[in-house]
Amino acid sequence: MPNATNLIKRRGLMLVLSSPSGAGKSTIARLLLNDKEKLELALSISVTTRPRRPSEIDGVHYHFITIREFERLRDSDELIEWAEVHGNFYGTPRQAAENALADGQDMLFDIDWQGALQLQEKMKGDVVSIFILPPSMAALKQRLHRRAEDTEEVIETRLRNARNEIERWRSYDYVLVNDDLDRAYHQVQSIVTAERLRRDRSPGLFDFVNTLLDEQLD
Ligand code: ADP
Ligand code: 5GP
């Protein structure tokens, strides 16, 4: 339903979620994406050379590609950012993200700290970054096992890398602890709501305020 506030033209924002593997960022991302009526976020679907997990669908969770195809995309500048994470390559397709932002569509990026840094450098004014911490390392380990999607070896690598990832928390705009899922999810919702209202994100405000001031009262 159009109303005065959603007629004010706004550029889309890039909501970057990062966390050590298992802290719950995909779960929170899923909740945000399903909350279509309220938040209307689109997901940036990354390319990856990682093997598909049983629960994943090609083109929905990731575009699963070969290393050769990845190198082609990276070398032809079709990725806004890319990184090697836990021994596999991941990258964000440029075109989909740029189209969304220009259309005023907010987009969610589930990417690691290396990707977050690249986006913060290249798209500074567009990025809102959130880092999700687990309540404890023991909970992180438990969640990785409970997810039951990775081999023991993969879980060990991810746990080993978790400390290095957690140390990157300072480069994010917001940091939250995913202890209670519902609370963490509502915290992210609040961040999105507030960030959408930032003055510098709404060039359409100039016209709106001018129209307001020109309005003749009877
Ligand atoms: P990530 O995307 O960060 O690797 P996931 O979202 O896949 O992590 O979550 C890892 C596991 O932890 C999943 O099984 C998920 O259901 C569970 N999980 C997520 N958030 C919580 C929470 N607040 N409390 C308990 N378990 C959680
Ligand atoms: P997973 O293999 O669990 O899906 O993801 C492993 C890590 O790669 C996570 O930290 C996830 O956020 C990150 N990741 C997923 N897609 C991208 C991407 O396009 N770029 C970067 N830099 N990291 C990504």
Side-chain angles (χ1 to χ4, degrees):
M1 189 71 165
N3 62 33
T5 32
N6 58 27
L7 286 176
I8 298 172
K9 200 166 159 38
R10 181 172 70 78
R11 185 169 158 80
L13 58 82
M14 305 173 92
L15 185 69
V16 171
L17 286 188
S18 302
S19 76
S21 187
K25 95 191 137 320
S26 307
T27 307
I28 292 174
R30 205 161 35 245
L31 291 173
L32 291 166
L33 292 166
N34 288 338
D35 184 7
K36 286 217 166 65
E37 234 173 83
K38 270 185 163 168
L39 287 180
E40 290 178 336
L41 291 169
L43 176 69
S44 164
I45 303 172
S46 298
V47 294
T48 183
T49 60
R50 162 168 80 60
R52 189 176 62 78
R53 293 185 184 132
S55 66
E56 290 175 328
I57 302 168
D58 189 20
V60 174
H61 299 94
Y62 282 106
H63 300 289
F64 295 95
I65 60 173
T66 60
I67 293 181
R68 205 187 163 95
E69 176 67 357
F70 183 90
E71 286 169 348
R72 190 191 67 74
L73 293 174
R74 182 194 60 194
D75 297 345
S76 55
D77 205 29
E78 288 176 53
L79 305 176
I80 322 183
E81 64 74 33
W82 67 273
E84 185 176 351
V85 190
H86 313 308
N88 297 298
F89 291 110
Y90 296 83
T92 300
R94 178 187 297 284
Q95 201 60 52
E98 286 186 347
N99 292 348
L101 298 191
D103 273 357
Q105 170 69 61
D106 298 328
M107 211 172 208
L108 182 64
F109 297 80
D110 172 341
I111 61 178
D112 86 321
W113 65 271
Q114 305 174 81
L117 276 187
Q118 293 171 55
L119 291 188
Q120 279 164 347
E121 273 165 26
K122 291 183 192 163
M123 325 275 290
K124 201 169 176 35
D126 295 323
V127 173
V128 175
S129 59
I130 305 179
F131 195 76
I132 299 168
L133 289 168
S136 65
M137 296 308 273
L140 187 69
K141 183 172 178 183
Q142 213 175 41
R143 287 180 192 177
L144 280 171
H145 280 105
R146 211 173 328 124
R147 183 165 72 188
E149 295 252 26
D150 296 312
T151 61
E152 194 55 41
E153 193 188 339
V154 167
I155 291 178
E156 283 308 314
T157 311
R158 287 174 178 242
L159 272 175
R160 259 198 320 278
N161 291 342
R163 280 169 204 285
N164 181 34
E165 288 167 23
I166 289 172
E167 278 169 12
R168 309 291 165 167
W169 67 279
R170 287 184 198 79
S171 34
Y172 287 75
D173 299 320
Y174 299 91
V175 180
L176 54 94
V177 179
N178 177 20
D179 191 352
D180 178 75
L181 179 60
D182 208 44
R183 191 177 56 187
Y185 164 59
H186 284 107
Q187 286 171 339
V188 177
Q189 260 188 334
S190 306
I191 293 168
V192 175
T193 304
E195 287 285 345
R196 281 179 172 171
L197 292 170
R198 286 183 71 101
R199 175 172 42 78
D200 49 6
R201 214 161 259 134
S202 295
L205 268 177
F206 284 94
D207 286 344
F208 179 76
V209 172
N210 283 336
T211 310
L212 203 60
L213 295 176
D214 286 345
E215 193 176 319
Q216 301 296 320
L217 297 177
D218 296 333

